[in-house]
Amino acid sequence: MKFTPLALAATLMFAASAQANESVIRKALTGQFPGANIASVQKTPYSGLFEVYLDGQLVYVDAKAQYVFTGDVIDLKNRRNLTQARLNQLQAVKWDTLPLNNALKTVKGTGARKLVVFSDVDCPYCRKFEAELTKVDNITVYTFLYPIEGLHPKAVQASKQIWCAPDRNKAWEDYTTRNVLPKNDGQCANPVEATIALGNKLKVSGTPTLIFANGQRVPGMVPAAQLEKLLAANAK
């Protein structure tokens, strides 16, 4: 593609302006939120706003960062949540970087479809999701035991006991369906602390959190019918 001198000059001016605005925005936000991680600043195509990916969330600012806007931007014509779509891109996880050996592995049918779940053993929504998973076939599920101790104080110990059981998958099922823990002290070599560190690094703030083969993450419990659609849409 060739640019005319005028188009090239306009492109360079726009790039320089965007870079200058980014510098101004970073400086202003750093002053207001010292220590915050400003991962990216990018001009949006709507209303002259800039999106800022700050500490794992999206906010919007004007060109001088005098005003900060929070909330979802919705494309009414196409009925699309632009903020969530952008977050999906920014928070995508490279599947190949996940330490799958640190997860419980369950294969159903052909096991052709892949799913990672960060799950807290004492999370009621995780248990509901497990019930939904029984309705889905031809899938391999990797479950990372991700206890959120602030919400469920006993979940760390329970996770370790499940991992230390002779049959981890059965121990997981027994506990999530009948509250029966395996009889061990949880002192075997286990990846629970490593999984907590991984979840913190990936900014997994709630459970269940689903990660699909193409890297897209979806927070929260989803019913089987919706999961089927997500698996089809997010196949690698």
Side-chain angles (χ1 to χ4, degrees):
M1 181 177 179
K2 293 183 178 180
F3 289 96
T4 65
L6 184 60
L8 181 59
T11 300
L12 292 173
M13 288 177 64
F14 177 83
S17 175
Q19 188 174 13
N21 285 331
E22 178 179 346
S23 178
V24 169
I25 290 168
R26 283 184 178 276
K27 183 177 180 181
L29 292 179
T30 299
Q32 292 293 328
F33 307 105
N37 177 25
I38 303 173
S40 67
V41 177
Q42 183 171 309
K43 187 172 176 55
T44 72
Y46 29 85
S47 303
L49 294 176
F50 286 75
E51 65 162 47
V52 180
Y53 189 42
L54 182 149
D55 282 347
Q57 62 180 324
L58 273 184
V59 299
Y60 301 94
V61 301
D62 64 301
K64 295 182 179 179
Q66 292 178 310
Y67 302 95
V68 177
F69 306 87
T70 63
D72 292 343
V73 176
I74 308 296
D75 180 345
L76 291 178
K77 180 179 179 180
N78 298 302
R79 298 182 180 276
R80 186 168 180 246
N81 186 325
L82 299 180
T83 300
Q84 188 58 57
R86 180 66 176 141
L87 273 174
N88 288 345
Q89 292 179 341
L90 291 168
Q91 295 180 343
V93 178
K94 292 182 179 179
W95 182 273
D96 294 341
T97 67
L98 293 168
L100 299 180
N101 287 338
N102 288 349
L104 304 181
K105 181 180 179 180
T106 305
V107 180
K108 296 180 63 180
T110 65
R113 302 181 295 177
K114 312 293 183 184
L115 178 68
V116 156
V117 184
F118 278 79
S119 191
D120 182 322
V121 294
D122 286 332
C123 163
Y125 294 102
C126 296
R127 295 187 177 198
K128 289 181 180 179
F129 182 66
E130 288 298 314
E132 293 299 309
L133 275 176
T134 63
K135 307 171 188 176
V136 179
D137 202 4
N138 299 326
I139 188 172
T140 299
V141 181
Y142 298 93
T143 303
F144 283 91
L145 303 182
Y146 184 60
I148 300 179
E149 195 170 12
L151 294 176
H152 307 118
K154 298 180 181 179
V156 171
Q157 178 62 24
S159 298
K160 291 179 178 180
Q161 288 177 243
I162 288 169
W163 186 269
C164 293
D167 185 337
R168 296 165 184 163
N169 287 350
K170 183 178 184 303
W172 168 260
E173 182 180 356
D174 285 346
Y175 189 63
T176 56
T177 59
R178 299 188 292 117
N179 286 321
V180 176
L181 271 176
K183 295 180 179 180
N184 64 67
D185 59 7
Q187 294 302 306
C188 71
N190 66 79
V192 174
E193 298 298 338
T195 297
I196 293 172
L198 174 65
N200 289 336
K201 179 182 177 181
L202 296 177
K203 299 188 183 303
V204 176
S205 58
T207 55
T209 290
L210 319 183
I211 299 176
F212 293 85
N214 67 347
Q216 181 180 350
R217 75 166 75 188
V218 173
M221 199 288 295
V222 297
Q226 184 182 349
L227 179 60
E228 289 283 5
K229 293 178 182 178
L230 287 166
L231 285 165
N234 296 296
K236 192 170 182 179

